[in-house]
Amino acid sequence: MSIAAMVFTTLFSTGGSGAAAQSYEPKGSDTAARAEKQAPSIPPVLIEDAAGTQVVVRAGPIAVSPDGGDGTATPLVDVVPEPRTAASLTALVERTALPDDLSSELNCLAGAVYFEAKGESLAGQLAVGRVIVARTRSGRFPTSYCGVVYQPSQFSFVHGGTMPVISRNSRAWGNAVRIARIAHEGSWKSPVEGALFFHAARVAPMNRTRIAQIDHQVFYR
C-alpha cells in the first residue's frame, strides 16, 4: 500500500472528521518509542476532506509491527486543519457568497464601502471597510458599524442620519457586500491595517501618521 493510500485509510477510518488520527500503537509503548526514534519521517501531504476542507496531513515515522517487523503498519499521523486561501483578493471576492439576509450591521458596513469607494479597486474598497472595522475596536469611536457610519460629521454621504438610496441589484453593491464580509471576517489582509482615517488624495494631508495611498484615497492612523 502506498504512503498516500495509508494516509487516506487512516483519515477515513476516523470518519473523515478532520480530528487527529492516531496510530494503532499505544502512546508510550516500547514499540512506538522505537518507531518514532528509528524510522524515517514521511513528508506532509495536503488533501481535501469530504466536506471540502483542506487539511495538512503530517505523517510521522511508520509504526513498527508488534513482533518487531517493519510490515505494513499504519503511519503515525497528525492531521492539522488548514483554512482555504485565495490566490488574490479578486478570487476571494468572487467566491464569497452574498448572504440571503443581510444584517443591519453588515448593511451599514457595505453601505460605507459602496458610497466611499465603489469607484475604487477591490483593494481600495477593502481598505475603507477595514477602517470601519478598526474604528469599532479602537475605543475612540462607537463600537458598532452603524454607530461608526452614522456618527455625526464623519461620512459625507450620510445626510440627516440616513444613507442615500442604493442600487441593490447592481454589481457595485454586490461587490460592496462581499467586501464588507471579507473586512468583517478579516479574511484578507489590507495594506492599511490599523488605519482609522482616510480622505481623497486631492485633499490637503492630515496631521496624522500616514500609512499608505490606495487608488485615490490616503489612509492614516
Side-chain angles (χ1 to χ4, degrees):
M1 183 181 294
S2 68
I3 296 300
M6 286 191 290
V7 171
F8 275 97
T9 300
T10 305
L11 279 174
F12 287 106
S13 70
T14 62
S17 66
Q22 300 296 323
S23 159
Y24 291 121
E25 289 294 331
K27 209 172 180 83
S29 70
D30 290 341
T31 301
R34 186 170 67 255
E36 291 182 10
K37 182 177 181 180
Q38 298 177 353
S41 295
I42 302 166
V45 179
L46 179 64
I47 68 170
E48 191 167 278
D49 67 12
T53 302
Q54 289 184 334
V55 293
V56 175
V57 180
R58 295 187 179 90
I62 297 178
V64 195
S65 60
D67 61 5
D70 55 6
T72 57
T74 306
L76 305 171
V77 176
D78 180 25
V79 180
V80 182
E82 182 168 284
R84 287 181 175 274
T85 57
S88 66
L89 177 57
T90 299
L92 182 58
V93 169
E94 287 175 350
R95 75 184 199 191
T96 298
L98 291 172
D100 294 331
D101 185 19
L102 191 64
S103 70
S104 61
E105 283 294 287
L106 276 182
N107 187 76
C108 287
L109 181 55
V113 171
Y114 179 81
F115 287 112
E116 290 289 337
K118 64 184 175 187
E120 306 288 291
S121 66
L122 294 176
Q125 293 179 47
L126 178 61
V128 169
R130 291 299 292 170
V131 167
I132 308 298
V133 173
R135 284 190 173 194
T136 65
R137 300 171 180 175
S138 69
R140 299 163 59 185
F141 294 90
T143 57
S144 69
Y145 299 148
C146 290
V148 167
V149 170
Y150 289 112
Q151 187 177 18
S153 304
Q154 293 298 310
F155 293 97
S156 60
F157 68 87
V158 175
H159 300 285
T162 61
M163 285 188 194
V165 175
I166 297 171
S167 179
R168 294 181 182 269
N169 293 323
S170 66
R171 179 178 178 81
W173 174 246
N175 280 343
V177 172
R178 292 181 177 94
I179 286 291
R181 282 196 61 187
I182 293 167
H184 170 68
E185 295 165 4
S187 51
W188 190 268
K189 187 175 180 180
S190 171
V192 300
E193 291 297 322
L196 295 174
F197 307 92
F198 66 93
H199 62 66
R202 66 178 182 274
V203 175
M206 298 179 72
N207 187 25
R208 296 185 181 276
T209 303
R210 174 173 166 151
I211 298 178
Q213 178 175 337
I214 300 181
D215 301 329
H216 303 97
Q217 311 220 65
V218 184
F219 295 82
Y220 301 83
R221 282 196 174 84

